[in-house]
Amino acid sequence: MISQIFILSSKGDHLIYKDFRGEESKDAINVFYEMVTALSGNQPPVVMSHKGLNFIHIRQGGLYWVASTNTNPSPFTIIEFLNRLAALTKDYCGSLSEKSVRMNFALIYELLDEMVDFGYIQTTSTDILKNFIQTEAVSSKPFSLFDLSNVGLFGAETQQSKVAPSVAASRPIMSSRGEQGGKNEIFVDVIERLSVVIGSKGVLMKADIQGEIRIKCFLPTCSEMRIGLNEELSIGKSELKGYSSAVRVDECRFHQAVKLDEFDTFRILKVCPSQGEQTVMQYQLCDELPCAPPFQLFPSVEKDYVNRVLIFLKLRCDLPPKSTALNVSITVPVPKGSTSMSQELSSPDQTAELQPKNKALLWEIPRFPGGAQLSALFKVDVPGLSSASLLEVGPVSMSFELPKQTCTGLQIRFLRLSPTQTGLSQRWVRYVTHSDSYTIRI
Amino acid sequence: MTDSKYFTTTKKGEIFELKAELNSDKKEKKKEAVKKVIASMTVGKDVSALFPDVVNCMQTDNLELKKLVYLYLMNYAKSQPDMAIMAVNTFVKDCEDPNPLIRALAVRTMGCIRVDKITEYLCEPLRKCLKDEDPYVRKTAAVCVAKLHDINAQLVEDQGFLDTLKDLISDSNPMVVANAVAALSEIAESHPNSNLLDLNPQTINKLLTALNECTEWGQIFILDCLANYMPRDDRESQSICERVTPRLSHANSAVVLSAVKVLMKFMEMLPKDLDYYGTLLKKLAPPLVTLLSAEPELQYVALRNINLIVQKRPEILKHEMKVFFVKYNDPIYVKLEKLDIMIRLASQANIAQVLAELKEYATEVDVDFVRKAVRAIGRCAIKVEQSAERCVSTLLDLIQTKVNYVVQEAIVVIKDIFRKYPNKYESVIATLCENLDSLDEPEARAAMIWIVGEYAERIDNADELLESFLEGFHDESTQVQLQLLTAIVKLFLKKPTETQELVQQVLSLATQDSDNPDLRDRGYIYWRLLSTDPVAAKEVVLAEKPLISEETDLIEPTLLEELICHIGTLASVYHKPPSAFVEGSRGVQHKKLTARAGSGESAESPDVGLSGPSEAPPAVIPSQGDLLGDLLNLDLAPPTATVPSVQPSMQMGAMDLLGGGLDSLMGDESDTLGGDIGGSPSMGGGLGVAPAAMPAALGGAPAVGGGLGDLFDLSGGVGMPTGSYVAPKTVWLPAMKAKGLEISGTFARRGGIIQMDLSLTNKAMSVMTDFAIQFNRNSFGLAPAGPLQVLTPLSPNQTIDVSLPLSTSGPVMKMEPLNNLQVAVKNNIDVFYFSCQYPISMIFVEDGKMERQVFLATWKDIPNDNEALFQIKDIHLNSDAASNKLQGSNIFTIAKRTVEGQDMLYLSVKLTNGIWVLAEMRIQTGNPNYTEMELSIKCRAPEVSPFVFQCYELVLKN
């Protein structure tokens, strides 16, 4: 059971404080803030205990979202709840920030009252909540479609004729009476996170994909939506369909509102989306990639002069030629005590720098077209270099994003709303793959 | 006008301004004003002065305004109880409002106003709301009962709200059911013995139906409640498992974990050979793996839980090793947890993969993580024997990097590897010695010194190496000093000629120049040993060391059982029982019950075992289980039955051991040792300066074997009132060894208390007084519970019988043999030492009867390696007689079955230190002449088994 819930700014200001059970004093807030700021990097920050009072917190939007309890509840429940609370606050207020929470405190109190009673979580569903909530949201930044300063979705290029601006999705869902933003839009995002370990001889050692289908809905009325996925999608390890390159995932989980009666045969998800953001489906694929990993690295590390290491990296992007990887950054650990570095890069838009504090060098490539190959030479000066120091070079880690790509090949065939709302609703489908942990061993 | 006055007026002005706005006619203005008040309240300003004005705004039909006012009321009512009464009327009126939102709002808020005076007004509206037509109101009212119970429990009972609440479990709306379950669970916690949450198959069925329909949060309440249920049989637990399993694919990880908890608990009751059991095991893995894709906070919590699950049922995740490989961008606390789980899952099948990973980790940036990774390599070597060689070479590679902390960590683990595989990897010592200078951490230095001392005979310059450490002896930490002392003594015993000076130097450093009592004591002990009896010294110092065990850092089994019952809660994150961090009694009692109800081996389980069968009939399990089930109506006498208690004695069996043990202790063949050590006269002289206060017993005592051979039947002289059979006394200390004092004795267990019955006989010429007794540390912590009661002086030729009660709370040290007890007896003449052995049945406790299901689960749980087989011949007993006899010595029969003319008895024994010893006894019944019994004993501490067997044999033969 939750005793108290409070939201603090990063500086420790009290933004929201709600005591559900009248058991603990308000001092708990300060106790929490002292504890959380005194934590060292090694200590897990998730749960903290002080004199029989346990704090569980998350950080979102630069704010601390904290629940305290003096019993033995499930931390999963509370973390999930705090995440939902943050998501709902974002849905209702449009964005998450100290300012938006301050401006909408009455609304948040009202939400909390409906979501939690006497420490028991009641509901977090927008559909149910909208029946009770009276307060209007105050939007901190009026939404305008013409605010295109931040063009593109997930950093993608604007080659497509119709692209939703990335801010399009950040506005309050509950603008029923407001004249601005009454647009009937629905966004469906397929987001995948890729984690890969490639061994020293270029062997793929481990590859996982975590994916999710997320919708954000601004439709006021609750009509049924049908999301069609690839028909050849197979689920589970055993379901191998001959030689066809079926799109496969190991396991998937669904939001409880999703109706699956057409899923088994037609791979259609039926859902009545409630307003706001929700994850409709999560899936994962372990150990097997349907295509080659997007990057291959051919490194060579040599001792040059007495105190110099030569690191030559050749990086190949194995995406199809029309695709592009964005914001690629490569981190290479270097021996302890490296002092300076000189580099040779193949194009001027790339950058590289030595970060002695992290014992690493960072090479950044803003755009990397599929099929291309880039190389770079780094000369690192290490006073007192020994042959053992060379062992300290590696493993290389990479981060990047692949817009308009899913590594599993999962696609959304169609998105149908019934009853069909003629021309009123706009539907957006977006794909992106992020690197979660992409490691190449040397 | 001063400045300060100006400030106060401003403040007053603010309150005043708000007051005016609150009393405004315009709704909008009122609303804004209340909002301002609440804003001030949040940041901690005191706005209680506005109470009457805010309460005035309460009567409005604007819901938004009403909610704001209620928010204020909840905060300040407690500090203004008199004023809060003003609000009661409106509350009562609101509870009748046609709008269900307002009714619910009123009943919710009233419950939050924790003012005693208000509660009596609350009852009537609450009663109505509990029966409201709108489910939203009913579910709010259900929670309100819990609120009211928290303020005034008696009132809730008197008003009969609890029954209404119970009725709500059958409500048509799942939200109402969920809240009723949550409220009842909480109320039940403060009444641990009440039958509030009467869980029977009907209610369980209702809960399972509601489970499919209610919100995710409601599902959690219901699942947590289900986890407390005890199914009647395995069929019921299987059907519950089947209905809970779909929750594993829920998107909310809290639901998933609650479901995992239910499944883990109910799985205990399923027979392992059932197909469904295997299916269930397979179904548990994917959801656990999926949890690892969540954000780091959840990942960490999930890993802590997986760590428990892996210790309990490693088979669930044994194929999922790869998901625990760390990612470079994991936070450090996630990395460390993953590493821990990796080691637990390491097996011969995946060790190559694991080692390759660990080697990569050892070159990462984060020092803590690197250290733990290096240590993990060592733990793998110890756990998987086949990989030891690979691990050692990996460690050597790492030492080559010369990264300081890697080298030190590697040396510490290599020491452990030497302990596990002695005389196998000594070739690496040379490499280790090269790194001597770079070691600056005490643990690594101590480990290195230990290695040098242990393998001194193979290191040519061992003396130089150790000498180099000796220079800064007093600057070293105690750990290093102790290790250095021992290592040099070892070296001396191995190479006496060259290292005499060194040993003298270290002994005098330790004994004369040190302030540390531990170090001094150890120094003196070595000194005396060396000066009087180098052979004994050799045996003591260079004794063969017990191998270290494979698994380290395991959570103690009873705690693990309890924590498994708390999967998905804070307890599973802290790895502590809830009582350790939840203050007061709330929640603790309740959850402990849970732990017992599961097949916990917690200390309390025997109590449940005795009372359990009447409340919940144990499961009837196929295979072994259904046969056990046949015996459920077997009327087993409780442990306090009238069966005469038979005290076994094992003195006969123990005699040789005792003689031998004493011989080595005394070192009576000491005349040969001068030659052994090389007889250099200067050495003798050097050691001669050792303090002369040698214990008399260590002197050249005559051989004692003969004296011990005699058995005195003194049982006639034992005047104990219980009438139970006690083994005859034997002479423990012959008079010739103890200046005329003869001690004979035996052990008995009476009414749960261990007693040492002693006969002291004065065979000397003078009177003996001032008796006292002390025990050395021993395997089960036996210690005198009181002083030795010899009140009158013991005159020549007089014998006195004393009964000394013993406790088991003394210091513990493993003895060889296990039941050996070293005793010192003092009188006015001297201190005498002897050792004796107690029958291990002394430490069988009275509540050693295990519950049947727990027995089954534990039997399966203990690895087969720990099973020991024995035969008892020439027994003329049938199984019932045997069972009765054994019960007298606290060996309890759990169940009996008959297969193919053989009786099988299932027996349990609990030792004072909580170790359970389980046994299966096979008795031939068909042929009366065939009198052999087969006994198979299983125990987590297999070294106990032979002693337990001896007890069985003695009890049965007596």
Side-chain angles (χ1 to χ4, degrees):
Chain A
M1 283 156 287
I2 299 170
S3 258
Q4 301 155 313
I5 282 181
F6 42 92
I7 304 175
L8 303 183
S9 76
S10 54
K11 295 190 288 302
D13 303 329
H14 307 182
L15 302 181
I16 296 286
Y17 168 80
K18 178 96 189 143
D19 183 355
F20 289 102
R21 299 179 63 94
E23 296 163 329
E24 302 294 337
S25 76
K26 214 172 169 177
D27 302 338
I29 306 181
N30 295 329
V31 172
F32 165 79
Y33 189 69
E34 274 167 31
M35 284 176 81
V36 81
T37 43
L39 273 185
S40 76
N42 288 352
Q43 286 163 291
V46 190
V47 291
M48 295 184 294
S49 163
H50 176 82
K51 290 187 183 163
L53 192 63
N54 302 292
F55 298 105
I56 299 172
H57 82 280
I58 59 165
R59 282 205 74 169
Q60 279 205 13
L63 307 172
Y64 292 104
W65 307 71
V66 194
S68 79
T69 169
N70 54 14
T71 54
N72 180 26
S74 155
F76 289 99
T77 315
I78 294 179
I79 295 173
E80 282 276 1
F81 171 75
L82 292 173
N83 279 326
R84 299 287 174 85
L85 175 63
L88 275 171
T89 310
K90 192 176 163 199
D91 280 350
Y92 273 89
C93 308
S95 64
L96 262 195
S97 67
E98 190 180 331
K99 193 176 164 203
S100 66
V101 171
R102 267 189 207 282
M103 287 170 76
N104 290 295
F105 71 94
L107 172 65
I108 295 172
Y109 275 125
E110 200 184 350
L111 276 171
L112 270 176
D113 258 339
E114 294 296 341
M115 289 164 79
V116 185
D117 193 4
F118 200 49
Y120 302 122
I121 301 167
Q122 300 292 308
T123 181
T124 49
S125 142
T126 29
D127 275 342
I128 301 179
L129 284 170
K130 73 177 175 199
N131 300 323
F132 309 131
I133 301 303
Q134 309 292 325
T135 317
E136 283 279 326
V138 188
S139 189
S140 55
K141 199 195 323 172
F143 169 73
S144 153
L145 246 189
F146 302 104
D147 181 11
L148 293 177
S149 57
N150 198 353
V151 175
L153 50 105
F154 303 113
E157 296 292 280
T158 49
Q159 288 151 339
Q160 271 181 321
S161 53
K162 272 178 106 185
V163 158
S166 62
V167 290
S170 56
R171 58 181 156 109
I173 52 162
M174 297 293 290
S175 43
S176 48
R177 273 169 269 175
E179 41 313 324
Q180 22 106 322
K183 230 172 169 183
N184 288 335
E185 284 180 309
I186 189 152
F187 296 81
V188 177
D189 295 351
V190 182
I191 302 156
E192 294 190 348
R193 285 179 298 150
L194 179 67
S195 56
V196 167
V197 177
I198 297 173
S200 50
K201 295 181 184 75
V203 197
L204 183 62
M205 295 176 67
K206 183 188 155 191
D208 288 346
I209 299 167
Q210 312 286 348
E212 59 184 21
I213 300 178
R214 217 188 269 166
I215 51 179
K216 180 149 189 175
C217 170
F218 292 100
L219 305 175
T221 50
C222 178
S223 53
E224 189 179 72
M225 180 166 72
R226 287 150 54 88
I227 307 172
L229 307 180
N230 317 42
E231 264 176 334
E232 73 272 28
L233 173 71
S234 74
I235 292 159
K237 291 195 177 173
S238 51
E239 280 183 63
L240 287 173
K241 287 185 180 171
Y243 292 100
S244 74
S245 55
V247 179
R248 192 178 70 81
V249 298
D250 283 343
E251 215 231 339
C252 46
R253 304 195 290 172
F254 303 95
H255 191 277
Q256 65 173 6
V258 178
K259 279 184 244 134
L260 296 170
D261 47 332
E262 287 184 61
F263 185 72
D264 281 342
T265 31
F266 303 111
R267 298 296 183 222
I268 293 173
L269 302 170
K270 289 202 290 190
V271 62
C272 296
S274 37
Q275 285 184 319
E277 203 172 310
Q278 52 229 290
T279 303
V280 180
M281 171 176 163
Q282 288 165 289
Y283 56 91
Q284 59 181 13
L285 177 65
C286 290
D287 282 348
E288 217 180 303
L289 285 184
C291 52
F295 292 99
Q296 273 290 12
L297 181 77
F298 306 94
S300 86
V301 180
E302 278 166 42
K303 198 170 157 182
D304 188 11
Y305 299 111
V306 196
N307 288 329
R308 177 178 283 184
V309 182
L310 285 186
I311 303 175
F312 181 69
L313 301 178
K314 203 157 69 174
L315 188 62
R316 194 179 71 207
C317 179
D318 286 339
L319 291 175
K322 279 185 182 168
S323 312
T324 308
L326 297 177
N327 302 331
V328 182
S329 78
I330 300 109
T331 310
V332 188
V334 293
K336 199 169 76 179
S338 303
T339 49
S340 59
M341 178 180 82
S342 64
Q343 71 258 23
E344 290 167 26
L345 303 173
S346 52
S347 77
D349 57 341
Q350 301 171 24
T351 56
E353 63 170 328
L354 181 71
Q355 298 173 323
K357 215 178 123 204
N358 302 333
K359 293 205 304 181
L361 70 84
L362 184 68
W363 176 24
E364 285 182 319
I365 307 158
R367 264 179 70 88
F368 201 152
Q373 181 165 308
L374 297 175
S375 54
L377 178 67
F378 304 98
K379 296 174 186 166
V380 186
D381 293 314
V382 190
L385 184 73
S386 70
S387 57
S389 307
L390 290 183
L391 290 173
E392 291 181 61
V393 179
V396 175
S397 53
M398 294 183 63
S399 75
F400 50 83
E401 55 188 79
L402 313 174
K404 292 179 277 171
Q405 283 271 334
T406 56
C407 282
T408 51
L410 189 92
Q411 299 280 331
I412 293 188
R413 277 186 296 142
F414 59 80
L415 210 61
R416 283 185 201 130
L417 290 168
S418 57
T420 4
Q421 291 166 320
T422 41
L424 277 173
S425 56
Q426 275 179 304
R427 289 157 286 168
W428 306 91
V429 178
R430 316 185 280 193
Y431 301 95
V432 70
T433 298
H434 289 280
S435 62
D436 182 14
S437 159
Y438 198 97
T439 310
I440 302 161
R441 290 177 180 162
I442 294 184
Chain B
M1 201 188 269
T2 65
D3 278 2
S4 65
K5 220 172 187 181
Y6 183 73
F7 274 121
T8 44
T9 46
T10 331
K11 263 203 170 162
K12 249 185 201 154
E14 194 185 356
I15 296 280
F16 184 76
E17 227 168 69
L18 282 171
K19 215 178 181 110
E21 283 179 40
L22 284 170
N23 290 317
S24 150
D25 297 333
K26 281 182 192 140
K27 243 180 224 163
E28 274 309 305
K29 210 160 192 185
K30 265 189 185 174
K31 202 162 78 187
E32 282 314 306
V34 179
K35 272 193 186 175
K36 277 184 203 160
V37 171
I38 289 170
S40 315
M41 191 174 90
T42 302
V43 293
K45 278 186 205 154
D46 183 16
V47 282
S48 58
L50 293 168
F51 199 91
D53 306 280
V54 178
V55 171
N56 272 339
C57 305
M58 199 167 149
Q59 295 205 30
T60 168
D61 43 7
N62 182 319
L63 202 52
E64 193 185 350
L65 179 57
K66 201 177 233 8
K67 280 188 167 184
L68 289 170
V69 174
Y70 280 1
L71 194 64
Y72 176 90
L73 266 179
M74 283 187 248
N75 218 4
Y76 281 113
K78 212 172 175 186
S79 56
Q80 311 251 345
D82 295 329
M83 300 243 235
I85 303 274
M86 290 163 48
V88 166
N89 256 338
T90 322
F91 278 133
V92 175
K93 217 174 90 202
D94 279 358
C95 285
E96 311 262 337
D97 199 279
N99 184 347
L101 288 188
I102 293 184
R103 293 201 297 275
L105 183 63
V107 86
R108 187 172 70 206
T109 314
M110 277 174 95
C112 292
I113 297 179
R114 306 173 62 85
V115 176
D116 255 338
K117 284 182 199 161
I118 281 197
T119 51
E120 47 190 285
Y121 299 102
L122 186 57
C123 293
E124 275 323 300
L126 178 57
R127 202 186 313 280
K128 270 185 208 146
C129 288
L130 279 168
K131 304 221 158 100
D132 201 282
E133 54 181 21
D134 192 295
Y136 179 68
V137 181
R138 286 203 300 279
K139 73 138 194 157
T140 314
V143 175
C144 189
V145 176
K147 292 179 189 169
L148 190 58
H149 184 271
D150 197 39
I151 307 168
N152 190 340
Q154 196 56 44
L155 186 71
V156 171
E157 281 175 50
D158 295 346
Q159 296 278 335
F161 284 138
L162 294 182
D163 295 323
T164 324
L165 203 52
K166 275 193 220 167
D167 294 342
L168 288 183
I169 290 192
S170 318
D171 199 279
S172 56
N173 183 299
M175 267 307 288
V176 181
V177 179
N179 273 3
V181 167
L184 275 175
S185 302
E186 188 185 339
I187 295 171
E189 273 171 21
S190 47
H191 301 277
N193 297 319
S194 70
N195 216 5
L196 266 183
L197 254 178
D198 180 23
L199 294 178
N200 53 44
Q202 286 76 41
T203 42
I204 291 294
N205 202 26
K206 276 178 206 154
L207 291 182
L208 285 168
T209 313
L211 186 61
N212 294 327
E213 292 162 7
C214 63
T215 68
E216 49 202 316
W217 312 107
Q219 292 183 13
I220 297 168
F221 298 147
I222 291 179
L223 286 169
D224 286 348
C225 178
L226 276 179
N228 294 332
Y229 176 63
M230 194 73 188
R232 285 162 310 163
D233 51 38
D234 61 318
R235 203 166 307 153
E236 188 182 6
S237 61
Q238 179 175 345
S239 86
I240 295 177
C241 286
E242 275 165 0
R243 294 178 71 177
V244 167
T245 318
R247 301 296 124 208
L248 289 177
S249 55
H250 200 283
N252 186 327
S253 60
V255 177
V256 175
L257 247 280
S258 291
V260 168
K261 170 163 69 184
V262 174
L263 295 175
M264 282 292 283
K265 269 192 82 174
F266 288 7
M267 248 166 101
E268 290 280 296
M269 283 155 226
L270 295 176
K272 282 200 174 171
D273 47 359
L274 196 71
D275 285 346
Y276 182 69
Y277 180 86
T279 325
L280 203 53
L281 275 185
K282 279 195 203 102
K283 281 193 177 153
L284 277 172
L288 290 174
V289 171
T290 312
L291 289 177
L292 296 181
S293 58
E295 43 269 53
E297 291 94 355
L298 281 175
Q299 257 187 64
Y300 173 73
V301 178
L303 285 166
R304 295 289 283 177
N305 278 287
I306 290 172
N307 200 329
L308 292 177
I309 293 171
V310 162
Q311 288 186 52
K312 178 76 187 158
R313 296 196 183 281
E315 62 269 30
I316 294 178
L317 288 164
K318 65 180 173 200
H319 299 302
E320 306 290 344
M321 176 59 98
K322 274 191 177 178
V323 298
F324 298 106
F325 289 175
V326 303
K327 298 177 186 169
Y328 76 93
N329 49 359
D330 281 334
I332 176 73
Y333 50 89
V334 169
K335 284 183 177 175
L336 293 177
E337 279 303 316
K338 280 188 173 174
L339 203 52
D340 212 46
I341 295 172
M342 278 172 69
I343 300 163
R344 292 198 199 288
L345 286 177
S347 68
Q348 203 183 335
N350 55 25
I351 193 75
Q353 228 182 355
V354 173
L355 266 184
E357 282 292 312
L358 291 176
K359 198 175 171 182
E360 289 292 333
Y361 302 163
T363 57
E364 288 223 4
V365 192
D366 191 280
V367 177
D368 280 339
F369 180 59
V370 171
R371 281 173 180 274
K372 192 146 185 191
V374 176
R375 237 167 234 235
I377 296 175
R379 277 171 68 183
C380 284
I382 290 165
K383 196 174 170 199
V384 185
E385 184 162 3
Q386 294 81 355
S387 73
E389 190 144 358
R390 268 243 278 312
C391 294
V392 171
S393 77
T394 308
L395 287 170
L396 281 182
D397 286 351
L398 290 173
I399 288 177
Q400 302 298 352
T401 63
K402 306 267 179 199
V403 178
N404 189 284
Y405 50 85
V406 173
V407 173
Q408 311 216 32
E409 222 36 67
I411 285 180
V412 172
V413 291
I414 286 181
K415 180 203 73 182
D416 288 340
I417 294 175
F418 284 166
R419 286 286 309 271
K420 171 78 182 175
Y421 309 108
N423 305 319
K424 220 168 159 190
Y425 300 109
E426 283 68 31
S427 50
V428 308
I429 291 176
T431 322
L432 302 186
C433 290
E434 287 164 19
N435 292 288
L436 215 58
D437 300 333
S438 62
L439 307 181
D440 52 13
E441 289 161 24
E443 205 184 348
R445 284 173 84 86
M448 192 63 218
I449 292 171
W450 183 89
I451 293 172
V452 173
E454 190 68 15
Y455 296 99
E457 68 272 29
R458 316 201 188 174
I459 306 172
D460 295 334
N461 59 344
D463 48 343
E464 284 167 35
L465 293 176
L466 292 176
E467 199 169 1
S468 68
F469 282 104
L470 207 54
E471 282 157 19
F473 189 76
H474 288 296
D475 304 327
E476 300 282 2
S477 73
T478 315
Q479 190 186 12
V480 180
Q481 289 177 334
L482 286 169
Q483 216 41 268
L484 192 54
L485 173 61
T486 307
I488 292 181
V489 172
K490 279 181 189 165
L491 173 69
F492 170 68
L493 289 168
K494 288 174 176 171
K495 301 182 180 171
T497 41
E498 309 122 58
T499 56
Q500 213 173 293
E501 222 169 282
L502 196 61
V503 81
Q504 268 182 22
Q505 207 182 335
V506 76
L507 284 175
S508 77
L509 276 172
T511 53
Q512 283 156 29
D513 303 339
S514 169
D515 296 332
N516 184 325
D518 285 345
L519 187 64
R520 255 190 346 244
D521 281 359
R522 196 186 281 195
Y524 277 126
I525 289 171
Y526 283 142
W527 204 325
R528 288 170 195 176
L529 265 174
L530 290 174
S531 59
T532 51
D533 189 352
V535 168
K538 218 168 182 169
E539 274 174 41
V540 172
V541 178
L542 303 181
E544 207 167 292
K545 278 160 281 295
L547 297 183
I548 53 175
S549 71
E550 294 180 1
E551 291 281 354
T552 43
D553 303 346
L554 280 184
I555 294 177
E556 196 242 326
T558 35
L559 179 61
L560 180 63
E561 296 280 346
E562 192 181 349
L563 291 179
I564 288 286
C565 296
H566 289 288
I567 281 181
T569 70
L570 279 179
S572 67
V573 179
Y574 293 138
H575 287 187
K576 285 181 197 159
S579 49
F581 59 89
V582 176
E583 276 188 349
S585 63
R586 145 116 48 82
V588 178
Q589 270 174 319
H590 176 64
K591 293 294 181 186
K592 269 223 161 151
L593 262 173
T594 322
R596 288 189 201 164
S599 60
E601 280 174 65
S602 65
E604 292 87 350
S605 62
D607 308 2
V608 175
L610 290 173
S611 60
S614 56
E615 292 162 14
V620 179
I621 299 170
S623 75
Q624 305 165 321
D626 59 355
L627 295 161
L628 282 178
D630 290 346
L631 290 162
L632 291 184
N633 36 19
L634 173 75
D635 195 24
L636 284 173
T640 50
T642 50
V643 185
S645 146
V646 179
Q647 295 297 340
S649 150
M650 24 179 299
Q651 300 293 21
M652 285 79 80
M655 205 41 72
D656 284 344
L657 287 165
L658 180 54
L662 276 179
D663 276 350
S664 64
L665 192 74
M666 304 295 174
D668 50 353
E669 245 83 69
S670 54
D671 39 346
T672 55
L673 60 87
D676 256 2
I677 296 262
S680 86
S682 63
M683 173 208 113
L687 291 175
V689 300
M694 293 295 302
L698 278 179
V704 288
L708 286 169
D710 301 323
L711 285 174
F712 290 82
D713 189 357
L714 292 176
S715 56
V718 183
M720 298 315 294
T722 53
S724 64
Y725 176 77
V726 177
K729 285 182 183 170
T730 50
V731 175
W732 284 339
L733 183 71
M736 57 201 298
K737 260 194 69 193
K739 301 188 180 167
L741 175 67
E742 183 180 273
I743 298 177
S744 54
T746 185
F747 292 90
R749 189 175 177 98
R750 300 186 185 94
I753 294 166
I754 310 167
Q755 285 179 324
M756 188 185 202
D757 295 335
L758 294 166
S759 291
L760 309 176
T761 309
N762 184 350
K763 294 192 172 173
M765 304 301 285
S766 55
V767 176
M768 293 179 181
T769 55
D770 304 337
F771 284 96
I773 191 163
Q774 237 176 23
F775 293 175
N776 195 359
R777 292 195 284 174
N778 53 73
S779 313
F780 294 96
L782 288 180
L788 190 62
Q789 297 285 345
V790 184
L791 299 172
T792 49
L794 193 60
S795 29
N797 273 327
Q798 192 195 347
T799 297
I800 190 168
D801 290 329
V802 199
S803 201
L804 179 70
L806 307 183
S807 71
T808 51
S809 51
V812 174
M813 183 175 73
K814 198 175 163 193
M815 299 298 290
E816 193 55 48
L818 208 60
N819 57 345
N820 198 21
L821 181 67
Q822 294 176 338
V823 184
V825 171
K826 178 192 104 62
N827 64 9
N828 57 335
I829 300 166
D830 208 340
V831 183
F832 310 106
Y833 302 88
F834 65 90
S835 64
C836 56
Q837 292 178 3
Y838 47 92
I840 208 160
S841 61
M842 287 303 115
I843 54 160
F844 293 175
V845 296
E846 277 69 20
D847 60 350
K849 184 165 177 180
M850 201 179 241
E851 206 184 332
R852 288 185 184 85
Q853 288 162 5
V854 183
F855 183 90
L856 258 183
T858 317
W859 184 272
K860 286 180 210 157
D861 222 39
I862 299 178
N864 283 334
D865 299 349
N866 287 8
E867 186 168 349
L869 284 170
F870 302 96
Q871 286 197 334
I872 309 175
K873 291 187 175 162
D874 300 325
I875 300 286
H876 303 278
L877 290 171
N878 65 17
S879 55
D880 288 345
S883 163
N884 278 340
K885 265 197 156 181
L886 291 169
Q887 182 150 351
S889 296
N890 293 340
I891 302 172
F892 298 99
T893 308
I894 307 295
K896 181 184 125 177
R897 65 179 171 130
T898 309
V899 190
E900 295 161 4
Q902 293 182 333
D903 277 351
M904 309 282 279
L905 290 183
Y906 297 90
L907 303 138
S908 77
V909 159
K910 187 182 167 193
L911 308 186
T912 46
N913 56 359
I915 294 182
W916 286 92
V917 185
L918 313 184
E920 182 188 73
M921 191 152 81
R922 189 187 298 267
I923 304 170
Q924 297 287 354
T925 50
N927 183 352
N929 299 324
Y930 193 67
T931 53
E932 200 174 272
M933 293 185 181
E934 272 176 40
L935 189 66
S936 109
I937 296 181
K938 260 191 167 186
C939 175
R940 287 193 207 276
E943 57 271 30
V944 187
S945 303
F947 297 95
V948 175
F949 158 67
Q950 285 177 356
C951 284
Y952 272 88
E953 192 174 22
L954 279 162
V955 171
L956 289 171
K957 287 195 170 172
N958 254 311

